Amino acid sequence: IDQPVEKYLPEFRGQMLTVEKNAEHVLLKKPLRPVTVKDLLTHTSGLTSSLPTGGAALDTLTLAGAVIGYAVSPLQFEPGSRWQYCNPGINTLGRLVEVVSGMPYAEFMRKRIFDPLGMKDTTFWPSEAQMKRLATAYRSNKEKTGLEATTVSHLTHPYSMKSRMALP
């Protein structure tokens, strides 16, 4: 886990760190050390969730495509220097699984996790029957006095569409 991510994903070589940013310029520098697998696992990588692709739903990309976007985007902070919840780090771990195992993430999860544990109803692409049992997502209401139902903004409907990426 102490290996640099770039050992497995060469697109991470030469990754930069944002030092200063304003409306007129962005100043970048090389980080003190590269992002490691441990940084991804512990949410200390500094990866940004803002992809160069704009506001498109993340699951319209491939896992490889999303990870290239993370790799070319400057880090927000020095790897290992602080904690910040990081979906991009988890997605990058999913891509590492693909590269090391030689199989798509969803297939790896099915063969190595879901099937051995007898999880026959677990999927990245729920059917209509499964959708009826899907948990509702909530967010704070405008007044911050309670919760209101919401959709998951980075997922494309219908969830059963196999062209959607299996998000780690």
Side-chain angles (χ1 to χ4, degrees):
I1 65 173
D2 292 319
Q3 294 298 315
V5 173
E6 65 189 35
K7 176 179 179 179
Y8 308 99
L9 302 174
E11 55 268 36
F12 276 82
R13 284 192 191 108
Q15 191 168 36
M16 299 298 280
L17 168 72
T18 301
V19 176
E20 184 180 313
K21 183 178 182 178
N22 62 38
E24 296 176 16
H25 77 279
V26 176
L27 179 61
L28 303 174
K29 74 170 192 169
K30 191 168 178 65
L32 297 174
R33 66 167 178 79
V35 173
T36 65
V37 175
K38 184 177 182 179
D39 292 325
L40 299 176
L41 290 165
T42 60
H43 299 275
T44 59
S45 66
L47 292 178
T48 182
S49 57
S50 301
L51 289 176
T53 57
L58 182 59
D59 66 352
T60 61
L61 302 171
T62 63
L63 196 48
V67 169
I68 288 170
Y70 306 141
V72 301
S73 298
L75 298 171
Q76 299 176 84
F77 52 85
E78 289 284 354
S81 69
R82 68 179 232 223
W83 183 92
Q84 181 174 312
Y85 185 80
C86 185
N87 278 330
I90 300 303
N91 293 338
T92 302
L93 287 166
R95 178 65 182 143
L96 279 169
V97 166
E98 288 186 333
V99 169
V100 173
S101 72
M103 64 179 85
Y105 178 75
E107 181 181 343
F108 177 89
M109 293 300 290
R110 183 183 54 75
K111 285 184 176 179
R112 297 291 300 272
I113 307 290
F114 305 153
D115 286 353
L117 292 175
M119 299 169 68
K120 297 182 185 337
D121 207 31
T122 301
T123 182
F124 293 97
W125 305 281
S127 66
E128 286 301 316
Q130 291 168 321
M131 284 297 296
K132 291 177 183 172
R133 301 189 324 263
L134 194 65
T136 302
Y138 291 91
R139 67 176 176 200
S140 295
N141 62 17
K142 290 180 184 174
E143 299 79 26
K144 305 285 186 213
T145 58
L147 298 175
E148 62 186 21
T150 187
T151 58
V152 180
S153 61
H154 55 273
L155 295 178
T156 305
H157 290 274
Y159 292 151
S160 60
M161 186 172 53
K162 290 281 189 175
S163 61
R164 287 179 46 254
M165 171 186 22
L167 280 171

